[in-house]
Amino acid sequence: MRFVPSQRLLRSVGLVLIPAWLALGMAGFAIETLLLSGAALLGIALLDALSSLGRLGGIQVHLTPLLRTSKGKRICLQGTVVDPDRRPLKLRIGLSLPRSLECEQPEAALWLGAEGKPGRMEWSLLALERGRFTIELCHLETPSRLGLWDLRRTTACSCEVRVFPDLSRERHLLAPLFFRKAALGIHQLRQLGKGREFEQLRHYAPGDSYGDIYWKGTAKRRLPVTIMHQLERTQEIHVAIDLSRRSGRPLEGQDPKERFAATTQCERFIQAALALAAEQQADRFGLITFSDQVHTSLPAGSGRAHYDACRDTLYTVEPRLVSPDYQELFIHIGNRLRSRSLLILLTDLGESWLSESFAEAVAQAARRHVILVHMIGSSQVQPLFSRHDQIAELEQLYPRLAGHLMWGELQETTQALKRSGVHLTASLQANLTAEAVSEYLKVKKRQLL
């Protein structure tokens, strides 16, 4: 419990007591009279403080235990104040908010009546960053009985705010990929291939291909048996997100007006992974996060509950100041993924030694799985003479030469991975999610799995 002089006490001393002392001193009154008047005011103030000691005792503040929102979105936090003693009180309530949560009016005024009904409050919160944040302290203030003091007390409360990445922009960009139809209604789509997923066994019929005969069953039954296949419906897709030091690099060309846009490559990777998890076409989606070791490995699954598990895994991750260990990643993949799957890796191969280590580590996994690698490119990494603008000064030549050399190394890395069956795409930051989903749909259409 803390006592703070109220505005009434300060005005009484500054506007009444001090001028009165000056007037009585100039009129020739004894010093004992002045001291007596000051002691009387001090005694009244002390008596008011002592009589108000338990005024905030027992008051409980209950907040909404769990709130979920997205970055850049507003959410309403509700709370109730309960006084077991049913005292009429005028309260001022404030919350200790983390910096990532912004509130226009962090303080709320409340009146508790003598009938004992709980008071209700609301705060409008704006999420500035993704992550998990907690509100643990609440500050209460009420005037004393005579109004000479403001009594303040800090009490415990509990509220967890989960701020997820904002995918509204990604959904807007992905909509044309899934709804490219000339008119509404049912459309018959041509499907390439005949499928590889087992459906049933049946007796041999004239015209069946010899490649479809199930020879082991034929030997057991002593009659020709044909194996029937169907189109693959539930394939496995695994997305691996790099959380090493290069994923923490800031994105270039950020618009200062976009206050809540992604600022690092890691955030863009998370948005792309969640978009793939949300838009998977009846497939099973798995998730892996790694840096110098594998941090999280969620087995492939589907449904709303599985998407929520992926989202809860990703919304708190942050890049680490370590280099990626691709050898450890693909050893983990080889031990966990037994069936042929589509692997989508979101990483940055902008350094030559990283691309070399990746090419060595991915060779074994590329024989079993279909692997797509997506990285965020740069507008500076391009051929020297590909721009239409001219070089006005000599100092402008050196950055373009550096970009040309980096572009050449990236082309060599792309060709080296292509020989191993790995497809590498360097997308601009705004196109990463759309290109990742587009490549995934191409793999499904060609039935590469």
Side-chain angles (χ1 to χ4, degrees):
M1 183 75 70
R2 298 186 300 275
F3 293 88
V4 179
S6 65
Q7 295 292 331
R8 179 180 297 181
L9 179 59
L10 296 177
R11 285 195 297 266
S12 300
V13 173
L15 301 179
V16 178
L17 183 60
I18 294 179
W21 280 353
L22 293 176
L24 293 176
M26 295 175 63
F29 282 83
I31 189 64
E32 291 81 4
T33 304
L34 301 178
L35 295 177
L36 183 61
S37 61
L41 180 59
L42 179 60
I44 294 174
L46 291 177
L47 186 62
D48 183 28
L50 292 176
S51 63
S52 305
L53 279 176
R55 197 166 175 80
L56 289 177
I59 295 181
Q60 301 175 358
V61 179
H62 303 283
L63 302 178
T64 305
L66 179 61
L67 294 175
R68 296 181 177 91
T69 185
S70 299
K71 181 179 177 181
K73 305 296 183 181
R74 285 197 173 272
I75 191 170
C76 181
L77 171 61
Q78 297 180 348
T80 58
V81 180
V82 179
D83 183 14
D85 297 334
R86 299 184 177 182
R87 296 164 294 185
L89 291 175
K90 180 182 179 182
L91 295 177
R92 195 163 62 125
I93 303 173
L95 298 177
S96 292
L97 298 176
R99 295 183 178 179
S100 300
L101 298 177
E102 183 179 275
C103 183
E104 295 180 354
Q105 296 180 351
E107 298 179 359
L110 181 66
W111 171 259
L112 290 180
E115 60 274 9
K117 295 182 179 180
R120 301 185 181 277
M121 306 158 298
E122 291 185 356
W123 290 273
S124 178
L125 304 180
L126 176 63
L128 304 179
E129 298 178 2
R130 62 174 177 86
R132 181 189 293 113
F133 310 102
T134 57
I135 303 174
E136 300 178 347
L137 296 178
C138 179
H139 306 283
L140 305 176
E141 180 184 282
T142 187
S144 60
R145 297 183 183 276
L146 298 180
L148 299 179
W149 303 95
D150 287 333
L151 283 67
R152 295 179 181 178
R153 174 173 170 261
T154 300
T155 184
C157 58
S158 178
C159 177
E160 180 180 342
V161 182
R162 298 179 181 179
V163 182
F164 301 112
D166 183 20
L167 301 181
S168 58
R169 177 181 174 276
E170 276 64 27
R171 294 191 183 100
H172 178 72
L173 293 176
L174 294 180
L177 296 178
F178 295 97
F179 299 100
R180 287 177 178 173
K181 296 181 180 180
L184 298 178
I186 300 176
H187 298 264
Q188 184 177 5
L189 301 179
R190 179 170 176 260
Q191 183 71 50
L192 302 179
K194 64 176 181 178
R196 300 176 181 177
E197 188 173 336
F198 173 78
E199 183 178 5
Q200 64 178 355
L201 297 175
R202 64 170 175 82
H203 292 292
Y204 176 82
D208 288 345
S209 173
Y210 289 157
D212 294 335
I213 295 179
Y214 184 46
W215 296 105
K216 186 179 291 186
T218 299
K220 286 183 178 181
R221 302 183 183 184
R222 297 184 179 182
L223 292 172
V225 177
T226 301
I227 185 171
M228 302 294 295
H229 296 87
Q230 64 179 351
L231 296 177
E232 292 80 356
R233 300 296 181 184
T234 55
Q235 301 167 340
E236 288 193 2
I237 305 167
H238 295 266
V239 175
I241 301 179
D242 185 2
L243 300 179
S244 62
R245 55 182 176 82
R246 288 191 65 87
S247 65
R249 300 177 62 191
L251 299 175
E252 65 176 18
Q254 286 289 84
D255 188 358
K257 296 181 180 180
E258 297 183 2
R259 182 183 179 188
F260 304 106
T263 57
T264 62
Q265 295 191 26
C266 180
E267 291 190 28
R268 189 65 74 189
F269 289 163
I270 292 173
Q271 291 176 344
L274 290 178
L276 285 166
E279 302 294 349
Q280 43 84 19
Q281 303 289 288
D283 292 328
R284 295 167 56 84
F285 180 85
L287 180 66
I288 301 173
T289 60
F290 72 98
S291 58
D292 58 339
Q293 59 182 349
V294 176
H295 303 293
T296 306
S297 179
L298 291 181
S302 59
R304 180 66 186 183
H306 184 72
Y307 173 78
D308 292 341
C310 297
R311 184 185 60 180
D312 292 342
T313 301
L314 291 179
Y315 81 98
T316 56
V317 298
E318 295 293 341
R320 303 166 181 261
L321 296 178
V322 294
S323 296
D325 190 343
Y326 297 114
Q327 193 72 31
E328 180 72 18
L329 170 66
F330 288 108
I331 289 175
H332 175 84
I333 290 175
N335 294 334
R336 293 294 183 92
L337 304 185
R338 299 297 183 181
S339 60
R340 183 176 175 85
S341 306
L342 170 62
L343 301 180
I344 301 177
L345 274 74
L346 304 177
T347 185
D348 188 349
L349 302 178
E351 297 179 7
S352 58
W353 74 273
L354 286 178
S355 59
E356 292 174 1
S357 63
F358 180 83
E360 295 176 0
V362 78
Q364 185 68 26
R367 299 174 184 173
R368 176 182 296 182
H369 307 286
V370 179
I371 300 180
L372 304 178
V373 183
H374 294 275
M375 60 178 290
I376 298 180
S378 173
S379 59
Q380 303 297 327
V381 180
Q382 55 182 314
L384 181 60
F385 300 104
S386 62
R387 301 184 184 182
H388 298 288
D389 55 335
Q390 298 181 357
I391 300 177
E393 299 179 359
L394 183 62
E395 288 75 10
Q396 299 177 358
L397 177 63
Y398 300 107
R400 297 196 181 185
L401 283 175
H404 180 82
L405 295 176
M406 296 175 64
W407 175 82
E409 293 178 356
L410 183 60
Q411 296 302 311
E412 294 178 0
T413 302
T414 303
Q415 295 300 323
L417 294 178
K418 188 176 181 180
R419 288 191 291 268
S420 301
V422 180
H423 181 65
L424 172 63
T425 302
S427 310
L428 296 179
Q429 58 181 8
N431 304 331
L432 175 65
T433 302
E435 293 196 9
V437 175
S438 178
E439 293 295 329
Y440 156 63
L441 295 179
K442 289 180 182 178
V443 170
K444 283 187 64 67
K445 184 177 181 181
R446 296 174 59 189
Q447 293 190 25
L448 297 180
L449 293 179

